[in-house]
Structure formats: C-alpha cells, structure tokens
Amino acid sequence: MRTFNLFKVAFRSLMRNKLRSFLIMLGIIIGVASVIAMLAIGEGSNQNIKASIASLGTNSIMVYPGNNMSGGVSQGAASNKTLRIEDVDAIKANCDLVNFVSPVDQKRAQVIYGSQNWNTTILGVTNDYLAIRSLTIAQGSTFTVNEDRTAAKVCLVGLTVVLNLFGDENYNPIGETIRINSIPVKIIGVLTKMGQNTFGQDQDDIIIAPFSTVQKRMMSSSMYINSILASGKSEGQVVDAVDEISILLREKHKIAPSDDNDFTVRTQSEISTVFGTISKVMTILLASIAGISLLVGGIGIMNIMLVSVTERTHEIGIRMAIGAKGKDILTQFMIESIVISFVGGIFGIVLGIVASQLVAKFGGWPVVITISSVLLSFLFSSAIGLFFGWYPARKAAALNPIDALRYE
Amino acid sequence: MKNPENLITVKNLVKTYKTGTTEVPALSDVSLTIDKGEFLAIMGASGSGKSTFMNILGCLDNPTAGTYTMEGIDVLGRSRDELAELRNRKLGFVFQSFNILPRTSALENVELPLLYNNTISPKDYGDKALDALKSVGLGDRVNAMPNELSGGQQQRVAIARSLVNDPIVIMADEPTGNLDSRTSYEIMQIFQKLNDAGITIVMVTHEPDIAQFAKTNIVFKDGKIIANEAVKERKNATEELKLIAQLSEEKSTT
Ligand SMILES: Nc1ncnc2c1ncn2[C@@H]1O[C@H](COP(=O)(O)OP(=O)(O)OP(=O)(O)O)[C@@H](O)[C@H]1O
Ligand SMILES: [Mg+2]
C-alpha cells in the first residue's frame, strides 16, 4: 500500500472515532503535563535551595557548640554552651587559611519606634559577618571597630523592619533611635534588599548590631556565643581551614585525643549536600506521583483500546477481506497511535508548562522546566500510546480474516 | 488436462473446527469445479457448511485438507500477503451483514479496496468509486453515511465496493438475507447484469426463489454436496421487477 494511502486511512480512522481519539489523547496529555509540572516544581525548588545555600557564601564555615554529627545540621545548638568569644579571637589570630571570622548571637526581640512596634530577629555580629554573607549597605554605613568594642548602641536595619516601624520602605531612618527590648539604639545603616530565601523566610526582616552590643546588653549570658561564622581564603582551602579550626578549638577546649569534639564545624558545601539530598528526595517523590498519573493515563488508554478492540477487530477483518496485508494494518495503527501520541504529547507539554507557570505565579513556588523532563515524559507517554495502539492491532492482524470478521 | 474455462477447482476439501476438545466437521470431502462466467447458487440447511465453503473459496479461511486452484494456480500454498493481494485484485465480497465501515461515507467505503491496490493511480480513486456506485444505482448518494442508508442501499454500497477493483469473481454469502423480496430482486438484477458482463458469481442463499436467478444450483447437506444441477427455468430480475411494479400499480388503482 502506498505510504500516502496509509496516512489517509489512518487520518480517516482517527476522524471517524473522534471521541475515542480524544480520550486516548487526554490520557497522554494529562500524563505528560503532570510529569512536566511535577519535575519542574521539583527542579525549581532544587535550584532555589542551591542558590540560597550558595548565598550563605561559598567559602563559609559554620561552627556550632555541641557535637551533633547526625543529620548534618546542628540541632538544639542553644542547649550546648561551649563556644566563647575567645575562640573567635583565637581563630582570627592563628588560622592562616581563614579569611574572615565573626561571632554570631541571634535572638528575637520586640522593637519599638514611637507607637509602632515589631518583632524581629536581632543579629549580633562583627563586620566580618557582612563580608562573609556578602551583605551590603544601601544607605548610611556599617559600624566601626570602635563601636563594636565599646558596645555602642547602633544598628543596621533590613527593609522589612523599616517598613513596619516607619510605615514606608523608602523612608530614610538613618539617625532615628529605636528601642530594642527598651534599650535605645540608633540606626546608622539600611541593608540592601535580599528578598525571600527558599524556606520562605524574609531575609530583610532583620536588625544587625555590633556583637558586643548584643552580647552585653541583650543576651542573658555574656559568657557563651550562639555560633561562629568564618570563611576560607579560597574555595579549595575550605576543607583545610576546617581542620585548622578544629585542631585549634580542641586545643583551646582541652579535649583529650580520645574524646569527641564539643563543637561542630560545617562547611557551606556540606550543608548544601544535605539540602541537595532533601530536595532530591522531594523530586523523586514528585516524579513518582507524576509516574503514577502517567500510569493511570496509560491504563485509561488501555481501557479505551480494549473496549474498542471488538469494533476495531471487525474493521480489521473487513480491511483484510478486501485486500489489506498484515503490515498495512499494523502501519495504519502505528500511524494512528503516533499521531495521537504526538498531538497529545504536544498538548501535554503546553499544558505542563502552563500549569508550572501557574504554580510559580499563584503558589509563589519556583519552577524550572528542563528539556530532559519534557523529553522523558513525551517519550514515555508516546511509548504507552504506541504500545496500546499497536498491541491489539498486531493480535488482530495475525488472525485469519474470517476470524477477525467474526470476532465478538 | 485442464479446461481453460475452469476458474476454480477444489478437490476433497475437508474443514474441521476445533473448539476445545470437540471437533466439529463442517466440510467433508467437497470437490467442485466452477467455470468462468458461472452464476452459482449454494443452497442447503442451516449448519450444512455453506459459509465454511464460501470462506475457503474466498481465501478468508484455510481448509483442513484438500486442494484449491484458481486459474490453474495453487491457492493454498500462497503466503498471507499473496492471498491478501489475490482477494484485492480478483475477488469481491458481499456479506449478509453488509460489513461496510460505519461513520464512513459511501464513496469512501467504495474507495477502500483501491487504497490497497498499488496498480491504480490515486487520482483515479474518485472516478472509479463513483462509477462503481453509479453501476449499482447509488450515484446520487455518494456522500451518505451508512446510518443514512437503507439496508438495500448499504448492500449496494458493499456490492459497489466488491466491484471497484474489477474482480473476476464475486463471493456473496446470503447477500439478500437481511432484505425484503423487492430489494432482493434489485440486488439480483445487479448480479445478473454483472454476470452478463462476464463476472463469475458465487452466492449462498436460503431462499429458493433467489436461487432461481442463478445459472447453477448446488445443495449442501452435512458438509457434502448432494446435488449439482443447472437451473431449468432461470428467472430474469429485470422482468420480475417489472411484474412486481405492475402488480402494485394494479393494487393502487383498484
Ligand atoms: N468458527 C467456528 N468454530 C466452530 N464451529 C464452527 C465455526 N463456524 C462454523 N462452525 C460449525 O460448522 C458447521 C457449518 O457451519 P456454516 O457456518 O458453514 O453453516 P452454514 O451452512 O453457513 O449455515 P447457515 O445457513 O446457518 O449460515 C456448523 O455446524 C457450525 O456450527
Ligand atoms: Mg452461513
């Protein structure tokens, strides 16, 4: 049979069974769309997590009190009090591979300006912290070493704090005095806008004050510090810097060689690996949901094919009686399936992309559509469509014409 | 010695259907010669093996044993594809249940065998299909769907489809089984016209009056041919139809 005729026959057959063609297509459309959307959501959060982790500074090293190797992220750090400001000074003085180092004290506090009040996070750090986290000042200036040493009542504020205390993000608050836990503190700078991180935290909802100010005036204990943030001189030296810090702190804390550390040192890349794993698990989870919907779509296709197989077998019988060869029948069915899968696949891709964008727009969730997810779902659903179109046809084409005509 | 006029020769055909463990003998030792230009009617009780025989003649089914030659060439030794080609070029089929494709116009149904015939140029499809439809008197219903056609009209579409590749034989299994007598006669009129044009016709029928339009009648009983005789007073469908028209006219005038 001429190729052109095969296409003609296949198209006529598709048009003759519009509802059936549409239902099969629907299975493929939903399958492809859900795989693309799910993988886009998974990949989006994956990349977003990576980006947020990277924003901590690629060379950064975190030191937490206590020893908690499980899970990779320090838990219950506040209950372990082992780190002191002397540790920070020692690292600064002795560790050659460490570039910047800053103590970090963190607490929630009530902030008042006039009749406005706002609950926010107060960070007590040195200027090194700003360098490590690549934080910059939009207006005003950061605190001086002298201000740090003297526990001066000065601070830097994030834009969210400005908005909530002064009613306008664009208000220039430099020189205003606010009260943090009833201590009057003067605003000397405004931080550049950072936006939300992956976990939905508003990074602009923050006040940064000199470490000594927070330690001496706002924390209940002035002996210990929450954590230390440091950075390696270069990315390649981060691991060695970690060793340097560990050896130094063991020495300073007088830990016997047989004992475990009373602190935990983590690098940014370790943390990003942990979150990478979490997000991979999530992607797999989403992919399996998508896979299930693809399978359900496939079963739908199979059902429709099975129901129509009587009718189709009879049609095959008629075609064979008037001279169709087995391969003509098979090619016709293959073309039908390919057309359905292809058109369904295209619609599925479009729907998947639209759905992803809707999730991104209304759910505020990051999505990234990868070529591989498009290809994967397209190929997989096409394979399902092809198989369920081809398999019953192959069976029917192998029958005697008279058996196909009589099939019930 | 082969008679050059012999179109179909079958010898000692046996067909046994196996259903599970039981074997149903449908044909036992059937031999028959069909000449070119023959109009054969196959009669017999229900279950006597008529359809089984027809399906084997039409290369739609294989016999359990026996030989079958068409135009001197062995049929049974051919591959499935060769048989498909044979059915397409040389045979035309008309079934009791019409077997035309639903939701497909009369013209497209008739066009179908042409699509599977490489020797015909696509630009001739329309003309050939239209000619075939005209020859069965459906030239004015080419775009009708099967569900818009009466049973007789659907059967004519099937006949047009069987004609479109200029077959040498038309195989018809109870072509009038679902039609009233007047419509049946119209079908017989088409068959006689085709037969006069040189096409061999093999037809299964239950109705003795329909068999009277054929040239030869054979009778099956329990899978065997028990009678094979020329029709003595052969009826002419055109005249019979005239007669019916006269009768109904008389009825309506009185
Ligand atoms: N596919 C089949 N499987 C099993 N037995 C069959 C099959 N087809 C026909 N038979 C049996 O073979 C015998 C002959 O059947 P066939 O259809 O040839 O009869 P027939 O003469 O055409 O009858 P009718 O006039 O009712 O159409 C019957 O006994 C029937 O039950
Ligand atoms: Mg029968």
Side-chain angles (χ1 to χ4, degrees):
Chain A
M1 184 148 130
R2 291 189 172 89
T3 322
F4 175 76
N5 286 349
L6 280 168
F7 276 95
K8 194 161 160 179
V9 165
F11 274 104
R12 277 182 185 172
S13 170
L14 287 176
M15 293 316 287
R16 200 145 48 79
N17 301 291
K18 286 192 195 71
L19 184 63
R20 188 183 66 205
S21 310
F22 172 72
L23 287 176
I24 295 168
M25 230 179 249
L26 200 62
I28 292 177
I29 290 173
I30 292 171
V32 170
S34 56
V35 171
I36 289 177
M38 297 281 179
L39 291 181
I41 292 167
E43 183 61 27
S45 59
N46 200 358
Q47 293 198 5
N48 195 357
I49 286 174
K50 278 196 191 129
S52 317
I53 303 276
S55 78
L56 295 176
T58 42
N59 301 345
S60 56
I61 299 163
M62 282 134 274
V63 185
Y64 302 103
N67 187 334
N68 192 341
M69 300 306 286
S70 70
V73 179
S74 175
Q75 297 157 0
S79 62
N80 293 296
K81 297 188 170 174
T82 58
L83 295 177
R84 298 159 184 260
I85 187 67
E86 291 79 33
D87 292 333
V88 177
D89 295 336
I91 292 170
K92 188 168 254 168
N94 300 313
C95 295
D96 298 336
L97 298 173
V98 172
N99 207 3
F100 296 107
V101 58
S102 162
V104 182
D105 265 348
Q106 184 172 351
K107 71 173 296 183
R108 300 286 299 178
Q110 199 70 20
V111 187
I112 301 168
Y113 175 78
S115 62
Q116 303 293 316
N117 75 69
W118 183 243
N119 195 285
T120 188
T121 303
I122 316 290
L123 270 185
V125 294
T126 64
N127 274 323
D128 276 10
Y129 182 90
L130 302 185
I132 297 167
R133 293 283 314 273
S134 320
L135 299 181
T136 52
I137 307 295
Q139 296 178 54
S141 60
T142 182
F143 28 84
T144 61
V145 178
N146 197 40
E147 278 167 333
D148 187 15
R149 197 176 309 131
T150 58
K153 296 177 201 168
V154 294
C155 72
L156 309 170
V157 292
L159 279 176
T160 306
V161 175
V162 176
L163 174 68
N164 285 287
L165 288 183
F166 302 98
D168 181 5
E169 250 187 31
N170 298 319
Y171 182 83
N172 184 348
I174 311 279
E176 301 281 4
T177 301
I178 56 174
R179 291 177 165 275
I180 303 174
N181 286 357
S182 41
I183 300 156
V185 177
K186 198 170 104 185
I187 297 174
I188 57 166
V190 179
L191 294 163
T192 310
K193 190 178 173 73
M194 288 174 284
Q196 285 193 354
N197 70 6
T198 322
F199 315 104
Q201 276 172 342
D202 180 359
Q203 300 182 93
D204 298 312
D205 189 5
I206 200 165
I207 293 179
I208 294 178
F211 172 75
S212 53
T213 310
V214 174
Q215 176 88 345
K216 290 189 181 128
R217 299 182 192 279
M218 300 175 195
M219 302 299 276
S220 49
S221 148
S222 57
M223 283 277 285
Y224 301 100
I225 58 181
N226 282 170
S227 63
I228 299 170
L229 184 69
S231 72
K233 284 216 164 96
S234 75
E235 220 175 320
Q237 289 174 315
V238 169
V239 178
D240 292 336
V242 166
D243 289 345
E244 222 177 23
I245 292 171
S246 300
I247 291 163
L248 180 76
L249 290 183
R250 282 183 75 91
E251 206 175 289
K252 275 204 64 99
H253 295 188
K254 303 194 170 61
I255 296 167
S258 57
D259 288 349
D260 286 338
N261 290 349
D262 64 352
F263 55 89
T264 305
V265 188
R266 292 258 172 261
T267 64
Q268 183 271 330
S269 65
E270 278 174 321
I271 290 180
S272 95
T273 310
V274 171
F275 281 103
T277 313
I278 293 171
S279 104
K280 204 172 273 167
V281 168
M282 195 171 79
T283 307
I284 289 171
L285 194 77
L286 289 170
S288 11
I289 295 171
I292 290 170
S293 67
L294 210 55
L295 196 71
V296 171
I299 291 171
I301 295 170
M302 189 169 68
N303 270 334
I304 297 156
M305 284 299 189
L306 229 55
V307 169
S308 71
V309 89
T310 314
E311 192 197 67
R312 300 236 73 178
T313 306
H314 191 72
E315 179 195 323
I316 290 171
I318 295 175
R319 289 181 185 278
M320 291 202 290
I322 60 170
K325 293 171 185 164
K327 61 174 187 287
D328 295 334
I329 302 282
L330 280 184
T331 321
Q332 174 195 335
F333 276 70
M334 288 302 273
I335 293 174
E336 282 183 30
S337 302
I338 288 170
V339 169
I340 287 186
S341 308
F342 194 78
V343 176
I346 301 278
F347 278 121
I349 290 172
V350 172
L351 188 70
I353 291 172
V354 168
S356 308
Q357 299 305 336
L358 288 181
V359 167
K361 191 149 182 254
F362 295 108
W365 191 268
V367 299
V368 174
I369 296 163
T370 57
I371 297 284
S372 62
S373 76
V374 170
L375 279 182
L376 175 89
S377 59
F378 188 75
L379 288 181
F380 191 68
S381 66
S382 298
I384 289 179
L386 276 183
F387 177 76
F388 289 126
W390 167 80
Y391 182 71
R394 197 199 64 132
K395 264 176 76 171
L399 291 174
N400 263 341
I402 196 65
D403 293 330
L405 269 173
R406 278 214 206 99
Y407 187 90
E408 259 154 28
Chain B
M1 262 311 289
K2 272 200 178 88
N3 184 335
E5 291 299 308
N6 275 180
L7 178 67
I8 287 171
T9 308
V10 291
K11 284 206 182 93
N12 313 110
L13 280 189
V14 175
K15 177 75 183 180
T16 312
Y17 289 110
K18 286 195 188 70
T19 40
T21 51
T22 57
E23 295 197 346
V24 183
L27 292 180
S28 41
D29 199 24
V30 173
S31 298
L32 183 71
T33 308
I34 302 173
D35 293 337
K36 271 206 174 100
E38 175 66 282
F39 189 160
L40 181 73
I42 302 173
M43 310 270 292
S46 187
S48 57
K50 305 182 296 292
S51 295
T52 306
F53 183 60
M54 277 291 280
N55 294 335
I56 292 171
L57 283 190
C59 309
L60 298 171
D61 205 355
N62 295 314
T64 314
T67 62
Y68 176 5
T69 56
M70 183 184 289
E71 296 182 308
I73 299 161
D74 178 34
V75 170
L76 299 179
R78 299 199 199 178
S79 71
R80 283 171 68 91
D81 283 358
E82 286 171 331
L83 288 178
E85 204 164 305
L86 181 87
R87 288 194 295 271
N88 183 252
R89 308 288 154 76
K90 305 218 157 154
L91 309 183
F93 292 93
V94 181
F95 301 93
Q96 178 177 0
S97 51
F98 317 139
N99 278 344
I100 55 181
L101 292 185
R103 299 185 293 282
T104 304
S105 75
L107 193 75
E108 285 181 8
N109 258 297
V110 175
E111 222 179 73
L112 218 52
L114 299 172
L115 300 179
Y116 295 100
N117 184 346
N118 281 342
T119 62
I120 290 171
S121 146
K123 66 178 192 299
D124 296 334
Y125 291 167
D127 288 345
K128 278 191 158 280
L130 192 61
D131 285 348
L133 275 172
K134 278 182 184 154
S135 75
V136 297
L138 276 183
D140 53 342
R141 301 302 307 273
V142 287
N143 292 319
M145 294 291 162
N147 60 357
E148 299 162 358
L149 294 172
S150 71
Q153 287 169 329
Q154 290 185 51
Q155 193 60 301
R156 287 184 209 210
V157 172
I159 295 172
R161 185 182 65 189
S162 76
L163 290 176
V164 77
N165 267 332
D166 299 318
I168 53 174
V169 193
I170 288 179
M171 308 265 177
D173 192 347
E174 303 195 36
T176 62
N178 284 349
L179 305 174
D180 68 12
S181 61
R182 206 202 121 101
T183 319
S184 304
Y185 286 6
E186 285 170 0
I187 300 294
M188 286 306 111
Q189 186 184 26
I190 297 169
F191 275 6
Q192 287 190 328
K193 200 176 77 190
L194 295 172
N195 186 237
D196 292 342
I199 298 177
T200 307
I201 294 176
V202 181
M203 171 179 79
V204 170
T205 182
H206 268 127
E207 302 147 272
D209 65 321
I210 295 295
Q212 291 294 300
F213 292 101
K215 289 176 178 163
T216 310
N217 285 2
I218 64 173
V219 181
F220 269 81
K221 187 172 188 251
D222 298 333
K224 287 195 175 70
I225 297 176
I226 55 161
N228 183 348
E229 53 204 18
V231 177
K232 288 187 194 86
E233 284 162 33
R234 191 179 181 214
K235 286 202 273 192
N236 181 303
T238 315
E239 278 162 23
E240 295 294 320
L241 282 168
K242 264 185 210 152
L243 227 67
I244 293 175
Q246 266 170 22
L247 279 173
S248 61
E249 217 166 274
E250 272 162 33
K251 242 186 218 161
S252 60
T253 47
T254 51

